[in-house]
Amino acid sequence: MSTKPTSTHHRWAEGSIVYQIYPRSFYDSNSDGIGDIPGITKKLGYLEDLGVNAIWLSPFYPSPMADFGYDVADYCGVDAIFGTLDDMDELLKEAHERGIRIIVDLVPNHSSDEHEWFRQSRQSREDRYSDWYIWKDPRGHDKEGKPIPPNNWVEVLTGGPAWEWEPARQQFYLHSFDVRQPDLNWANPEVRDAIKDAMRFWLDKGVDGFRVDAVHFMAKDPLYRDEKPNPHYVEGRDTRYGALIHTNNHAWPQLYAYLSEMAAVLKEEKYKHGERFMITEAYPETHNRVDEYLEFYEGMDPEVAAPFNFEGLSLPWEAKAWRDFLGTFHKALNDFNSLCVASYAFGNHDQHRMVTRMGEPIARSAAVLLLTLPGMAFIYNGEEIGMKNGNIPADMVQDPGARGGDGRDPERTPLQWTAGENAGFSTASRTWLPITDNYKTHNIETESKDPDSFLSLYRHLGKLRNTSASIKHGEFEVIDTGNTYVLGYARTRGDERYIVLVNFSKKPVSLSLKPDLALGAFVVSSDPETMLVKTATDKVELRAHEAAVFEGVVTPKE
Ligand code: NOJ
C-alpha cells in the first residue's frame, strides 16, 4: 500500500456522489406531463437526504427535441418546456445553499439543425458560419443523377447514412447522430471559441462543471476515409451501427488537444478557485480498457477533468473480472498522477435499468460496490429505488434511437415518487412516457418507510460515504478473500478502515479471512434480510449475491 499523506486538500469531486437528473422525467411542477427545473428545485431535500453532493443535469437547453435536448439550438438558454434562465439561477442558488454542486451537460460535437449557426451555415458556402459544420462534396452521382455521399459512414443512433444532402449548398453535411444533429467542425478555431464561450456563460452563472457529451466524435479522420465492414456483425443481434468497424469516424488523436482547450477554461483565473470539473463521455472500445481510460487522464488535465468509467455497464458480473480491473486500474491511476479522480457509473439515460440488466439482488450488490469505490459515484435517477425498464407501447415511442434497435425510452420513464396517480410525478392527464407498472411498490414514499428497501440501502451507503474519511478519500487495495467468487477490498485512511466483500456467486459462501484482515463491526449489506444485522466473526457468511461492508482493523505497522 502506498503512503500518501492524509492531510492533502481534496477537490469536491473526490469521493462525491453525483446524481444524474434526466429533467423530462424527474418531477413535473407545472402539470404538462414533462419534468422541469422548478420541479428539481422543489425536490432538493430528497437529494440532500440521499447524500447527494452534486447533480448532473442532462440537457435543458432550447431544443426541437429531436434527441431530447442533445440537439441544442442555443447553448446559453433554457427551453420553455423546462423553465427559464431565472429558474436555473434559482436552482443553482438553492442547491448551493444545501451544499449540492451542479454540473451541466455540454454537447460540443453537434448542435441542433435549428441552431442559428447551422441555419446560416446551410444557406451558402460564403456565409459567416459556412465552415462551422462538416460539409463535403458528393463522391459522384448515381445513374439517376443523385449525389453519392462522400464516404460510407453511418450514424450512431439508427445505423442509417451519416450524411445528409443540402440542396442550397449542393453539399452533404455530416451527422454522427440524428439527421437533426449536424456535427460541428472542431478543426475550426471559431467553433472551439464559441463552445468555450458557452462554457464561460454557465461558469459565470455558477455551475460547478460539465458532463461532456460524445467526445470521441469531435475528432475524425481528416481524410474522411471509408470504414471497413465488421466481419463479426450479426444482423438482429447487434445494433445496425455495428455493421461497420469504426476506426475513422471518431477518436482521432486531435481529440485531446480539443479537450485540453476546454479543460483550460476551468483553470482560468476567474474559475479555478471554484474547483470546476468536467467528466467526458467516451465508451472504451478495445480490450485495453485501462489504457483507454488512462489516455484520457493523460490527454486532458486530471486536476480538472476525468473520463467516465463505464465498467459498471460492460464488465461481466464476475469476481475475477472486477478484481483484475480494479487492481490494475487504481494502481495505474495512482502511479500516473495522484490527482486522477475515478468516476464510476452503472447506469444512465442511454442504458437499460440496472434491475432489468442484472436482477434485483445483483443491482443491490452493485450499489454497494459503486458507493464504496474511490472517486465519483454516479447514480442515474431512479436507480436508487430499483426502477426497472418500462414497457413502451408503440404509439408512445419517443426516442429516435428506437428506429435502429431497442431504443432508450424504457430507462427514461418518469421517476416514481409515490403509489398515487402518475406515481406522484405529475398531475397531468398524460405523461410524456408512460409510468412503469411497478410504481405501487417501487416508489420513493413507500420505500422511505421500508428499512429493507433499495432506497434505504442507498441512503445507508450515502451516509457512510459522506461520513467516512476512508471511503471518501482513503487508499484502495484489493485483498485476497481466499475465495475466487468473492471480491474483497479495503478502503483505509489513517486508522480508519472499511472492508468490502462482494459475493459474485449465486450460492452462499463462507470465508475465513487471513488474521491480518480481521473484521470489526458489521456496517451494511446489500441483502434485505441481513442489511442491518450481521455478526462479524472470524468466519464470514455471505448469502447469494450479497455484498457487505465491515469495519476493518488496521494493524499498526512494525
Ligand atoms: C450521448 C447521450 O448520452 C445520448 O443520449 C445522445 O443521444 C448522444 N450522446 C448524442 O448527443
Side-chain angles (χ1 to χ4, degrees):
M1 192 186 291
S2 76
T3 49
K4 270 207 278 179
T6 50
S7 60
T8 45
H9 170 75
H10 293 286
R11 291 154 293 159
W12 68 265
E14 296 176 55
S16 59
I17 300 175
V18 188
Y19 187 87
Q20 180 194 350
I21 291 183
Y22 195 69
R24 294 183 78 83
S25 293
F26 186 71
Y27 186 71
D28 172 17
S29 76
N30 63 352
S31 306
D32 63 357
I34 300 174
D36 45 53
I37 291 168
I40 300 170
T41 310
K42 205 166 168 180
K43 296 291 188 182
L44 284 172
Y46 166 66
L47 300 181
E48 200 176 358
D49 286 348
L50 192 59
V52 165
N53 309 115
I55 295 169
W56 151 27
L57 281 184
S58 280
F60 49 81
Y61 310 108
S63 165
M65 303 289 163
D67 188 17
F68 294 103
Y70 284 93
D71 48 324
V72 178
D74 172 4
Y75 286 92
C76 302
V78 172
D79 196 287
I81 288 182
F82 298 123
T84 62
L85 274 173
D86 286 345
D87 292 331
M88 264 306 281
D89 288 337
E90 185 61 24
L91 172 60
L92 278 157
K93 185 172 137 286
E94 293 205 20
H96 285 162
E97 274 169 16
R98 290 174 190 264
I100 298 177
R101 306 259 179 170
I102 296 199
I103 62 175
V104 296
D105 223 304
L106 182 71
V107 190
N109 178 65
H110 42 265
S111 73
S112 157
D113 62 346
E114 291 188 19
H115 197 295
E116 194 49 33
W117 302 336
F118 188 73
R119 282 180 198 268
Q120 296 200 30
S121 189
R122 76 190 313 175
Q123 276 165 22
S124 87
R125 300 186 191 198
E126 273 91 48
D127 191 82
R128 149 116 179 71
Y129 296 100
S130 62
D131 194 27
W132 281 46
Y133 293 83
I134 297 173
W135 293 102
K136 296 279 173 219
D137 293 334
R139 186 183 338 220
H141 291 82
D142 66 13
K143 284 196 219 100
E144 281 116 52
K146 272 197 6 212
I148 303 171
N151 65 26
N152 70 349
W153 294 4
V154 293
E155 54 114 322
V156 176
L157 296 179
T158 67
W163 297 96
E164 185 71 8
W165 179 247
E166 174 52 65
R169 284 183 62 135
Q170 291 288 300
Q171 279 183 315
F172 285 95
Y173 71 84
L174 178 70
H175 57 94
S176 297
F177 293 87
D178 192 71
V179 64
R180 303 201 56 192
Q181 292 168 296
D183 281 34
L184 282 155
N185 177 13
W186 271 76
N188 180 344
E190 286 185 339
V191 168
R192 305 208 289 275
D193 286 346
I195 294 291
K196 287 186 285 178
D197 279 347
M199 291 174 74
R200 292 185 189 100
F201 174 86
W202 290 106
L203 292 169
D204 288 340
K205 284 215 159 285
V207 308
D208 299 282
F210 302 94
R211 173 271 189 186
V212 191
D213 185 72
V215 295
H216 265 153
F217 289 88
M218 291 158 76
K220 307 128 172 58
D221 172 17
L223 301 180
Y224 290 84
R225 284 167 287 194
D226 275 350
E227 309 278 30
K228 297 200 172 53
N230 177 1
H232 305 296
Y233 173 68
V234 177
E235 208 180 323
R237 185 196 66 183
D238 303 326
T239 61
R240 277 171 39 202
Y241 180 69
L244 297 174
I245 301 178
H246 301 285
T247 47
N248 295 335
N249 72 345
H250 72 302
W252 275 62
Q254 199 57 17
L255 171 61
Y256 297 112
Y258 301 154
L259 292 175
S260 297
E261 274 190 46
M262 293 170 72
V265 173
L266 306 178
K267 287 177 96 168
E268 287 172 4
E269 184 54 31
K270 201 168 168 194
Y271 309 124
K272 70 177 183 201
H273 305 289
E275 298 183 355
R276 317 296 174 103
F277 204 81
M278 67 185 215
I279 299 98
T280 52
E281 185 217 24
Y283 288 85
E285 296 170 337
T286 68
H287 294 300
N288 299 324
R289 306 171 72 83
V290 170
D291 292 8
E292 280 195 56
Y293 292 128
L294 208 55
E295 210 172 289
F296 272 95
Y297 285 102
E298 207 244 331
M300 302 191 290
D301 176 347
E303 192 178 346
V304 291
F308 263 117
N309 178 317
F310 285 131
E311 297 313 294
L313 296 165
S314 51
L315 268 192
W317 190 251
E318 287 165 12
K320 181 172 176 349
W322 277 95
R323 191 180 299 125
D324 291 351
F325 176 79
L326 292 174
T328 323
F329 177 67
H330 286 285
K331 178 164 184 335
L333 286 200
N334 243 342
D335 288 353
F336 170 59
N337 186 332
S338 61
L339 287 172
C340 294
V341 183
S343 74
Y344 287 95
F346 280 70
N348 63 41
H349 62 293
D350 297 328
Q351 308 296 332
H352 289 330
R353 288 285 185 186
M354 287 170 76
V355 161
T356 304
R357 287 181 353 239
M358 313 167 144
E360 287 206 3
I362 299 182
R364 291 177 69 119
S365 232
V368 174
L369 189 65
L370 171 69
L371 288 161
T372 55
L373 285 174
M376 304 170 97
F378 282 81
I379 302 172
Y380 172 51
N381 58 200
E383 296 294 1
E384 78 280 14
I385 54 167
M387 275 178 70
K388 62 170 188 170
N389 272 8
N391 289 324
I392 315 295
D395 66 336
M396 284 191 85
V397 168
Q398 305 275 348
D399 179 22
R403 296 193 299 269
D406 252 4
R408 300 164 295 179
D409 294 327
E411 57 264 26
R412 296 176 178 179
T413 61
L415 186 59
Q416 295 156 201
W417 290 94
T418 69
E421 191 82 359
N422 288 336
F425 160 73
S426 168
T427 51
S429 53
R430 190 179 161 98
T431 55
W432 82 283
L433 279 175
I435 306 290
T436 298
D437 57 16
N438 68 348
Y439 73 98
K440 289 239 151 73
T441 48
H442 288 71
N443 66 70
I444 289 161
E445 193 177 67
T446 307
E447 291 195 27
S448 291
K449 295 180 202 136
D450 173 3
D452 301 328
S453 67
F454 256 90
L455 183 57
S456 296
L457 173 65
Y458 269 85
R459 282 187 174 147
H460 279 298
L461 291 164
K463 193 161 170 208
L464 177 65
R465 192 173 178 92
N466 281 321
T467 52
S468 146
S470 59
I471 291 188
K472 228 173 159 57
H473 302 304
E475 301 288 330
F476 170 85
E477 187 193 14
V478 174
I479 58 175
D480 179 8
T481 62
N483 183 314
T484 47
Y485 297 107
V486 181
L487 165 75
Y489 52 87
R491 303 295 318 275
T492 314
R493 188 180 159 100
D495 56 9
E496 183 191 280
R497 167 183 277 185
Y498 284 94
I499 303 242
V500 181
L501 300 172
V502 186
N503 177 15
F504 283 77
S505 147
K506 52 178 189 276
K507 294 197 183 123
V509 293
S510 170
L511 303 176
S512 306
L513 292 178
K514 289 191 189 138
D516 62 339
L517 280 176
L519 297 184
F522 163 76
V523 181
V524 66
S525 154
S526 64
D527 191 291
E529 299 284 312
T530 55
M531 194 163 133
L532 296 173
V533 277
K534 203 172 184 75
T535 331
T537 58
D538 50 350
K539 269 221 174 315
V540 191
E541 313 281 335
L542 291 175
R543 295 168 163 238
H545 294 308
E546 179 174 10
V549 185
F550 296 86
E551 286 179 9
V553 179
V554 181
T555 38
K557 294 211 170 76
E558 301 283 295

